[in-house]
Amino acid sequence: MSELFDAEAIEAITRRWMARVVVGMNLCPFAKAVMVKDQVRIVVSDASTEDALLHTLGEELLLLRDTAATEVDTTLIVHPLVLTDFFDYNDFRARADDLLDAMALTGDIQVASFHPDYQFAETALDDASNNTNRAPFPILHLLREDSVTRAVAAYPEPDSIIDRNIATMNALGNDGFNALMDEIKNDDASN
């Protein structure tokens, strides 16, 4: 395993990103509640191949399925050693969906995606809107469908979230976002 792989540091950076970007910038208005209740499971995977990551994904899908939502409502699989190329990562998502189907979990759990080089279809790489799904490391985010449904139903105008997030990222700009990400990656004293 790489000497640079430090699971504790990677988890700390991921938690700072969640606190400062996802919750702090209100990109996901549903995230704060599960964070406050300590219902977010973060798994830092040392997988270095797609097959190893797929195995980890399967284990975490089972754990999420078999654990009460009051204990673990959502899981982030952070995998810094594999799928660092966004297009490979994006292609892997089909394998993740196939695994959901094979495990009969489609409709119960969904896999959302975050990546340092995230790029929405039809956008330029430097389009600030891509920053809504950019994270310090590649992440597979496992969400319970029923939790998502309840959260969306309770939120006024859920369709406005995407537009608001894009406006937030456009206002911040790439330079501002990159500075924030650098601060998150390098700030050991921060929560």
Side-chain angles (χ1 to χ4, degrees):
M1 187 179 318
S2 170
E3 290 180 23
L4 301 176
F5 185 85
D6 180 342
E8 287 181 17
I10 292 166
E11 181 175 345
I13 291 167
T14 302
R15 287 190 183 279
R16 285 195 299 270
W17 165 74
M18 289 174 52
R20 289 179 168 177
V21 177
V22 177
V23 173
M25 298 182 85
N26 200 29
L27 296 182
C28 178
F30 320 120
K32 184 175 183 178
V34 292
M35 285 184 64
V36 168
K37 294 176 189 174
D38 198 27
Q39 296 169 327
V40 179
R41 176 174 164 80
I42 298 177
V43 176
V44 179
S45 173
D46 64 357
S48 60
T49 66
E50 290 184 23
D51 288 341
L53 180 60
L54 197 65
H55 179 77
T56 299
L57 175 59
E59 290 177 338
E60 292 302 320
L61 286 168
L62 289 174
L63 189 142
L64 193 59
R65 179 197 69 190
D66 296 340
T67 304
T70 54
E71 290 180 48
V72 178
D73 193 59
T74 189
T75 300
L76 279 71
I77 303 173
V78 184
H79 49 96
L81 303 178
V82 64
L83 300 174
T84 56
D85 177 87
F86 175 70
F87 297 103
D88 292 340
Y89 171 89
N90 206 38
D91 290 344
F92 179 83
R93 293 180 57 214
R95 292 184 71 188
D97 289 341
D98 290 345
L99 183 59
L100 280 171
D101 287 342
M103 296 175 73
L105 292 173
T106 300
D108 295 322
I109 298 173
Q110 63 178 263
V111 181
S113 54
F114 298 95
H115 193 280
D117 299 317
Y118 198 95
Q119 183 177 0
F120 289 105
E122 309 300 323
T123 65
L125 183 61
D126 64 350
D127 189 316
S129 68
N130 294 316
N131 295 335
T132 64
N133 283 55
R134 288 191 174 163
F137 310 101
I139 297 173
L140 296 172
H141 183 190
L142 312 183
L143 297 142
R144 296 174 188 268
E145 292 273 2
D146 57 349
S147 295
V148 172
T149 300
R150 278 193 308 276
V152 168
Y155 190 80
E157 300 181 47
D159 294 337
S160 68
I161 295 170
I162 293 170
D163 292 336
R164 187 194 68 232
N165 289 351
I166 291 170
T168 297
M169 287 302 162
N170 283 333
L172 182 61
N174 286 328
D175 289 343
F177 181 79
N178 291 335
L180 177 60
M181 292 298 276
D182 286 343
E183 184 180 299
I184 288 167
K185 291 176 190 175
N186 297 312
D187 186 3
D188 292 331
S190 182
N191 294 349

PDB file of all heavy atoms in Angstrom, residues 20-22 24-28 128-129 131-132 160-174 176-177 180:
ATOM      1  N   ARG A  20     -17.825  22.082   5.304  1.00  0.00           N
ATOM      2  CA  ARG A  20     -17.638  23.412   4.722  1.00  0.00           C
ATOM      3  C   ARG A  20     -18.316  23.599   3.371  1.00  0.00           C
ATOM      4  O   ARG A  20     -18.763  24.704   3.061  1.00  0.00           O
ATOM      5  CB  ARG A  20     -16.153  23.695   4.560  1.00  0.00           C
ATOM      6  CG  ARG A  20     -15.445  23.916   5.867  1.00  0.00           C
ATOM      7  CD  ARG A  20     -14.008  24.156   5.573  1.00  0.00           C
ATOM      8  NE  ARG A  20     -13.293  24.655   6.718  1.00  0.00           N
ATOM      9  CZ  ARG A  20     -11.999  24.886   6.715  1.00  0.00           C
ATOM     10  NH1 ARG A  20     -11.295  24.679   5.616  1.00  0.00           N
ATOM     11  NH2 ARG A  20     -11.395  25.326   7.776  1.00  0.00           N
ATOM     12  N   VAL A  21     -18.361  22.550   2.579  1.00  0.00           N
ATOM     13  CA  VAL A  21     -18.922  22.681   1.233  1.00  0.00           C
ATOM     14  C   VAL A  21     -20.353  22.147   1.185  1.00  0.00           C
ATOM     15  O   VAL A  21     -21.289  22.882   0.892  1.00  0.00           O
ATOM     16  CB  VAL A  21     -18.026  21.983   0.178  1.00  0.00           C
ATOM     17  CG1 VAL A  21     -18.651  22.047  -1.202  1.00  0.00           C
ATOM     18  CG2 VAL A  21     -16.631  22.610   0.172  1.00  0.00           C
ATOM     19  N   VAL A  22     -20.527  20.871   1.485  1.00  0.00           N
ATOM     20  CA  VAL A  22     -21.841  20.248   1.336  1.00  0.00           C
ATOM     21  C   VAL A  22     -22.865  20.886   2.274  1.00  0.00           C
ATOM     22  O   VAL A  22     -23.944  21.292   1.838  1.00  0.00           O
ATOM     23  CB  VAL A  22     -21.754  18.720   1.561  1.00  0.00           C
ATOM     24  CG1 VAL A  22     -23.129  18.074   1.472  1.00  0.00           C
ATOM     25  CG2 VAL A  22     -20.789  18.085   0.563  1.00  0.00           C
ATOM     26  N   GLY A  24     -21.956  23.543   4.707  1.00  0.00           N
ATOM     27  CA  GLY A  24     -21.646  24.958   4.888  1.00  0.00           C
ATOM     28  C   GLY A  24     -22.160  25.847   3.765  1.00  0.00           C
ATOM     29  O   GLY A  24     -22.581  26.979   4.006  1.00  0.00           O
ATOM     30  N   MET A  25     -22.133  25.334   2.542  1.00  0.00           N
ATOM     31  CA  MET A  25     -22.645  26.102   1.397  1.00  0.00           C
ATOM     32  C   MET A  25     -24.067  25.675   1.050  1.00  0.00           C
ATOM     33  O   MET A  25     -24.619  26.110   0.043  1.00  0.00           O
ATOM     34  CB  MET A  25     -21.711  25.918   0.198  1.00  0.00           C
ATOM     35  CG  MET A  25     -20.311  26.434   0.490  1.00  0.00           C
ATOM     36  SD  MET A  25     -19.221  26.267  -0.922  1.00  0.00           S
ATOM     37  CE  MET A  25     -19.662  27.781  -1.762  1.00  0.00           C
ATOM     38  N   ASN A  26     -24.631  24.803   1.868  1.00  0.00           N
ATOM     39  CA  ASN A  26     -25.998  24.315   1.716  1.00  0.00           C
ATOM     40  C   ASN A  26     -26.246  23.676   0.345  1.00  0.00           C
ATOM     41  O   ASN A  26     -27.329  23.798  -0.218  1.00  0.00           O
ATOM     42  CB  ASN A  26     -27.008  25.438   1.978  1.00  0.00           C
ATOM     43  CG  ASN A  26     -28.384  24.896   2.301  1.00  0.00           C
ATOM     44  OD1 ASN A  26     -28.523  23.803   2.845  1.00  0.00           O
ATOM     45  ND2 ASN A  26     -29.407  25.649   1.951  1.00  0.00           N
ATOM     46  N   LEU A  27     -25.216  22.971  -0.181  1.00  0.00           N
ATOM     47  CA  LEU A  27     -25.399  22.301  -1.463  1.00  0.00           C
ATOM     48  C   LEU A  27     -26.389  21.149  -1.342  1.00  0.00           C
ATOM     49  O   LEU A  27     -27.114  20.850  -2.284  1.00  0.00           O
ATOM     50  CB  LEU A  27     -24.062  21.799  -2.008  1.00  0.00           C
ATOM     51  CG  LEU A  27     -23.031  22.879  -2.341  1.00  0.00           C
ATOM     52  CD1 LEU A  27     -21.775  22.240  -2.922  1.00  0.00           C
ATOM     53  CD2 LEU A  27     -23.595  23.922  -3.291  1.00  0.00           C
ATOM     54  N   CYS A  28     -26.388  20.511  -0.185  1.00  0.00           N
ATOM     55  CA  CYS A  28     -27.394  19.480   0.077  1.00  0.00           C
ATOM     56  C   CYS A  28     -28.106  19.851   1.367  1.00  0.00           C
ATOM     57  O   CYS A  28     -27.571  19.649   2.461  1.00  0.00           O
ATOM     58  CB  CYS A  28     -26.759  18.096   0.209  1.00  0.00           C
ATOM     59  SG  CYS A  28     -27.996  16.832   0.598  1.00  0.00           S
ATOM     60  N   ALA A 128     -17.905  26.280 -13.750  1.00  0.00           N
ATOM     61  CA  ALA A 128     -18.020  26.291 -12.289  1.00  0.00           C
ATOM     62  C   ALA A 128     -19.156  25.399 -11.785  1.00  0.00           C
ATOM     63  O   ALA A 128     -19.116  24.929 -10.640  1.00  0.00           O
ATOM     64  CB  ALA A 128     -18.207  27.720 -11.780  1.00  0.00           C
ATOM     65  N   SER A 129     -20.152  25.112 -12.607  1.00  0.00           N
ATOM     66  CA  SER A 129     -21.257  24.252 -12.161  1.00  0.00           C
ATOM     67  C   SER A 129     -20.772  22.847 -11.811  1.00  0.00           C
ATOM     68  O   SER A 129     -21.378  22.168 -10.978  1.00  0.00           O
ATOM     69  CB  SER A 129     -22.356  24.184 -13.219  1.00  0.00           C
ATOM     70  OG  SER A 129     -21.924  23.506 -14.375  1.00  0.00           O
ATOM     71  N   ASN A 131     -18.376  22.143 -10.022  1.00  0.00           N
ATOM     72  CA  ASN A 131     -17.900  22.152  -8.642  1.00  0.00           C
ATOM     73  C   ASN A 131     -18.950  21.665  -7.651  1.00  0.00           C
ATOM     74  O   ASN A 131     -18.612  21.287  -6.530  1.00  0.00           O
ATOM     75  CB  ASN A 131     -17.411  23.548  -8.257  1.00  0.00           C
ATOM     76  CG  ASN A 131     -16.197  23.963  -9.071  1.00  0.00           C
ATOM     77  OD1 ASN A 131     -15.447  23.135  -9.576  1.00  0.00           O
ATOM     78  ND2 ASN A 131     -16.005  25.262  -9.213  1.00  0.00           N
ATOM     79  N   THR A 132     -20.216  21.640  -8.049  1.00  0.00           N
ATOM     80  CA  THR A 132     -21.256  21.140  -7.141  1.00  0.00           C
ATOM     81  C   THR A 132     -21.034  19.673  -6.801  1.00  0.00           C
ATOM     82  O   THR A 132     -21.477  19.220  -5.753  1.00  0.00           O
ATOM     83  CB  THR A 132     -22.677  21.307  -7.737  1.00  0.00           C
ATOM     84  OG1 THR A 132     -22.790  20.518  -8.908  1.00  0.00           O
ATOM     85  CG2 THR A 132     -22.988  22.768  -8.028  1.00  0.00           C
ATOM     86  N   SER A 160     -35.549  23.599  -6.983  1.00  0.00           N
ATOM     87  CA  SER A 160     -34.702  24.797  -7.004  1.00  0.00           C
ATOM     88  C   SER A 160     -33.279  24.526  -6.517  1.00  0.00           C
ATOM     89  O   SER A 160     -32.395  25.376  -6.687  1.00  0.00           O
ATOM     90  CB  SER A 160     -35.329  25.893  -6.146  1.00  0.00           C
ATOM     91  OG  SER A 160     -35.287  25.532  -4.770  1.00  0.00           O
ATOM     92  N   ILE A 161     -33.042  23.376  -5.913  1.00  0.00           N
ATOM     93  CA  ILE A 161     -31.734  23.076  -5.316  1.00  0.00           C
ATOM     94  C   ILE A 161     -30.628  23.123  -6.362  1.00  0.00           C
ATOM     95  O   ILE A 161     -29.587  23.759  -6.145  1.00  0.00           O
ATOM     96  CB  ILE A 161     -31.754  21.711  -4.590  1.00  0.00           C
ATOM     97  CG1 ILE A 161     -32.706  21.761  -3.401  1.00  0.00           C
ATOM     98  CG2 ILE A 161     -30.344  21.319  -4.147  1.00  0.00           C
ATOM     99  CD1 ILE A 161     -32.982  20.414  -2.761  1.00  0.00           C
ATOM    100  N   ILE A 162     -30.828  22.487  -7.491  1.00  0.00           N
ATOM    101  CA  ILE A 162     -29.783  22.433  -8.516  1.00  0.00           C
ATOM    102  C   ILE A 162     -29.442  23.835  -9.014  1.00  0.00           C
ATOM    103  O   ILE A 162     -28.264  24.208  -9.083  1.00  0.00           O
ATOM    104  CB  ILE A 162     -30.200  21.512  -9.672  1.00  0.00           C
ATOM    105  CG1 ILE A 162     -30.279  20.062  -9.187  1.00  0.00           C
ATOM    106  CG2 ILE A 162     -29.225  21.624 -10.843  1.00  0.00           C
ATOM    107  CD1 ILE A 162     -30.899  19.101 -10.175  1.00  0.00           C
ATOM    108  N   ASP A 163     -30.460  24.619  -9.350  1.00  0.00           N
ATOM    109  CA  ASP A 163     -30.222  25.983  -9.838  1.00  0.00           C
ATOM    110  C   ASP A 163     -29.521  26.835  -8.790  1.00  0.00           C
ATOM    111  O   ASP A 163     -28.612  27.608  -9.104  1.00  0.00           O
ATOM    112  CB  ASP A 163     -31.532  26.643 -10.261  1.00  0.00           C
ATOM    113  CG  ASP A 163     -32.134  26.002 -11.502  1.00  0.00           C
ATOM    114  OD1 ASP A 163     -31.377  25.384 -12.279  1.00  0.00           O
ATOM    115  OD2 ASP A 163     -33.361  26.117 -11.690  1.00  0.00           O
ATOM    116  N   ARG A 164     -29.938  26.694  -7.531  1.00  0.00           N
ATOM    117  CA  ARG A 164     -29.305  27.456  -6.446  1.00  0.00           C
ATOM    118  C   ARG A 164     -27.837  27.050  -6.293  1.00  0.00           C
ATOM    119  O   ARG A 164     -26.962  27.897  -6.109  1.00  0.00           O
ATOM    120  CB  ARG A 164     -30.059  27.242  -5.137  1.00  0.00           C
ATOM    121  CG  ARG A 164     -29.554  28.142  -4.010  1.00  0.00           C
ATOM    122  CD  ARG A 164     -30.050  27.726  -2.644  1.00  0.00           C
ATOM    123  NE  ARG A 164     -29.445  26.452  -2.298  1.00  0.00           N
ATOM    124  CZ  ARG A 164     -30.123  25.374  -1.892  1.00  0.00           C
ATOM    125  NH1 ARG A 164     -31.424  25.413  -1.772  1.00  0.00           N
ATOM    126  NH2 ARG A 164     -29.500  24.265  -1.601  1.00  0.00           N
ATOM    127  N   ASN A 165     -27.557  25.743  -6.381  1.00  0.00           N
ATOM    128  CA  ASN A 165     -26.180  25.266  -6.247  1.00  0.00           C
ATOM    129  C   ASN A 165     -25.296  25.798  -7.370  1.00  0.00           C
ATOM    130  O   ASN A 165     -24.154  26.203  -7.132  1.00  0.00           O
ATOM    131  CB  ASN A 165     -26.138  23.738  -6.222  1.00  0.00           C
ATOM    132  CG  ASN A 165     -26.689  23.167  -4.936  1.00  0.00           C
ATOM    133  OD1 ASN A 165     -26.956  23.888  -3.978  1.00  0.00           O
ATOM    134  ND2 ASN A 165     -26.862  21.866  -4.907  1.00  0.00           N
ATOM    135  N   ILE A 166     -25.822  25.793  -8.579  1.00  0.00           N
ATOM    136  CA  ILE A 166     -25.056  26.313  -9.723  1.00  0.00           C
ATOM    137  C   ILE A 166     -24.790  27.804  -9.529  1.00  0.00           C
ATOM    138  O   ILE A 166     -23.668  28.276  -9.750  1.00  0.00           O
ATOM    139  CB  ILE A 166     -25.779  26.011 -11.049  1.00  0.00           C
ATOM    140  CG1 ILE A 166     -25.738  24.496 -11.331  1.00  0.00           C
ATOM    141  CG2 ILE A 166     -25.150  26.797 -12.205  1.00  0.00           C
ATOM    142  CD1 ILE A 166     -26.612  24.049 -12.492  1.00  0.00           C
ATOM    143  N   ALA A 167     -25.795  28.531  -9.071  1.00  0.00           N
ATOM    144  CA  ALA A 167     -25.609  29.963  -8.824  1.00  0.00           C
ATOM    145  C   ALA A 167     -24.553  30.191  -7.734  1.00  0.00           C
ATOM    146  O   ALA A 167     -23.710  31.089  -7.852  1.00  0.00           O
ATOM    147  CB  ALA A 167     -26.930  30.616  -8.436  1.00  0.00           C
ATOM    148  N   THR A 168     -24.582  29.375  -6.704  1.00  0.00           N
ATOM    149  CA  THR A 168     -23.589  29.481  -5.620  1.00  0.00           C
ATOM    150  C   THR A 168     -22.187  29.264  -6.163  1.00  0.00           C
ATOM    151  O   THR A 168     -21.262  30.019  -5.847  1.00  0.00           O
ATOM    152  CB  THR A 168     -23.898  28.453  -4.508  1.00  0.00           C
ATOM    153  OG1 THR A 168     -25.174  28.768  -3.939  1.00  0.00           O
ATOM    154  CG2 THR A 168     -22.835  28.458  -3.425  1.00  0.00           C
ATOM    155  N   MET A 169     -22.023  28.230  -6.991  1.00  0.00           N
ATOM    156  CA  MET A 169     -20.695  27.923  -7.531  1.00  0.00           C
ATOM    157  C   MET A 169     -20.249  28.967  -8.557  1.00  0.00           C
ATOM    158  O   MET A 169     -19.072  29.308  -8.612  1.00  0.00           O
ATOM    159  CB  MET A 169     -20.670  26.522  -8.137  1.00  0.00           C
ATOM    160  CG  MET A 169     -20.688  25.443  -7.089  1.00  0.00           C
ATOM    161  SD  MET A 169     -19.300  25.609  -5.948  1.00  0.00           S
ATOM    162  CE  MET A 169     -19.868  24.634  -4.589  1.00  0.00           C
ATOM    163  N   ASN A 170     -21.180  29.485  -9.331  1.00  0.00           N
ATOM    164  CA  ASN A 170     -20.821  30.548 -10.274  1.00  0.00           C
ATOM    165  C   ASN A 170     -20.373  31.797  -9.524  1.00  0.00           C
ATOM    166  O   ASN A 170     -19.417  32.466  -9.933  1.00  0.00           O
ATOM    167  CB  ASN A 170     -21.981  30.870 -11.214  1.00  0.00           C
ATOM    168  CG  ASN A 170     -22.136  29.816 -12.303  1.00  0.00           C
ATOM    169  OD1 ASN A 170     -21.187  29.157 -12.695  1.00  0.00           O
ATOM    170  ND2 ASN A 170     -23.357  29.657 -12.785  1.00  0.00           N
ATOM    171  N   ALA A 171     -21.044  32.113  -8.417  1.00  0.00           N
ATOM    172  CA  ALA A 171     -20.664  33.283  -7.626  1.00  0.00           C
ATOM    173  C   ALA A 171     -19.293  33.094  -6.974  1.00  0.00           C
ATOM    174  O   ALA A 171     -18.491  34.036  -6.917  1.00  0.00           O
ATOM    175  CB  ALA A 171     -21.721  33.567  -6.559  1.00  0.00           C
ATOM    176  N   LEU A 172     -19.030  31.898  -6.505  1.00  0.00           N
ATOM    177  CA  LEU A 172     -17.737  31.595  -5.879  1.00  0.00           C
ATOM    178  C   LEU A 172     -16.624  31.573  -6.920  1.00  0.00           C
ATOM    179  O   LEU A 172     -15.511  32.035  -6.665  1.00  0.00           O
ATOM    180  CB  LEU A 172     -17.808  30.254  -5.147  1.00  0.00           C
ATOM    181  CG  LEU A 172     -16.567  29.797  -4.391  1.00  0.00           C
ATOM    182  CD1 LEU A 172     -16.211  30.785  -3.287  1.00  0.00           C
ATOM    183  CD2 LEU A 172     -16.812  28.405  -3.801  1.00  0.00           C
ATOM    184  N   GLY A 173     -16.946  31.039  -8.100  1.00  0.00           N
ATOM    185  CA  GLY A 173     -15.962  30.938  -9.174  1.00  0.00           C
ATOM    186  C   GLY A 173     -14.962  29.816  -8.933  1.00  0.00           C
ATOM    187  O   GLY A 173     -14.836  29.308  -7.818  1.00  0.00           O
ATOM    188  N   ASN A 174     -14.269  29.435  -9.977  1.00  0.00           N
ATOM    189  CA  ASN A 174     -13.298  28.348  -9.860  1.00  0.00           C
ATOM    190  C   ASN A 174     -12.150  28.701  -8.927  1.00  0.00           C
ATOM    191  O   ASN A 174     -11.697  27.853  -8.152  1.00  0.00           O
ATOM    192  CB  ASN A 174     -12.769  27.948 -11.238  1.00  0.00           C
ATOM    193  CG  ASN A 174     -13.796  27.169 -12.029  1.00  0.00           C
ATOM    194  OD1 ASN A 174     -14.609  26.433 -11.476  1.00  0.00           O
ATOM    195  ND2 ASN A 174     -13.778  27.348 -13.337  1.00  0.00           N
ATOM    196  N   GLY A 176     -12.142  30.719  -6.348  1.00  0.00           N
ATOM    197  CA  GLY A 176     -12.630  30.651  -4.973  1.00  0.00           C
ATOM    198  C   GLY A 176     -12.835  29.224  -4.512  1.00  0.00           C
ATOM    199  O   GLY A 176     -12.474  28.856  -3.387  1.00  0.00           O
ATOM    200  N   PHE A 177     -13.414  28.398  -5.387  1.00  0.00           N
ATOM    201  CA  PHE A 177     -13.647  26.998  -5.033  1.00  0.00           C
ATOM    202  C   PHE A 177     -12.321  26.270  -4.837  1.00  0.00           C
ATOM    203  O   PHE A 177     -12.146  25.531  -3.860  1.00  0.00           O
ATOM    204  CB  PHE A 177     -14.487  26.295  -6.107  1.00  0.00           C
ATOM    205  CG  PHE A 177     -14.777  24.858  -5.773  1.00  0.00           C
ATOM    206  CD1 PHE A 177     -15.776  24.529  -4.859  1.00  0.00           C
ATOM    207  CD2 PHE A 177     -14.058  23.830  -6.362  1.00  0.00           C
ATOM    208  CE1 PHE A 177     -16.040  23.205  -4.538  1.00  0.00           C
ATOM    209  CE2 PHE A 177     -14.321  22.505  -6.053  1.00  0.00           C
ATOM    210  CZ  PHE A 177     -15.310  22.193  -5.137  1.00  0.00           C
ATOM    211  N   LEU A 180     -10.787  27.200  -1.580  1.00  0.00           N
ATOM    212  CA  LEU A 180     -11.491  26.526  -0.482  1.00  0.00           C
ATOM    213  C   LEU A 180     -11.070  25.068  -0.383  1.00  0.00           C
ATOM    214  O   LEU A 180     -10.799  24.561   0.711  1.00  0.00           O
ATOM    215  CB  LEU A 180     -13.005  26.641  -0.683  1.00  0.00           C
ATOM    216  CG  LEU A 180     -13.891  25.922   0.341  1.00  0.00           C
ATOM    217  CD1 LEU A 180     -13.638  26.442   1.746  1.00  0.00           C
ATOM    218  CD2 LEU A 180     -15.361  26.096  -0.042  1.00  0.00           C
TER     219      LEU A 180
END
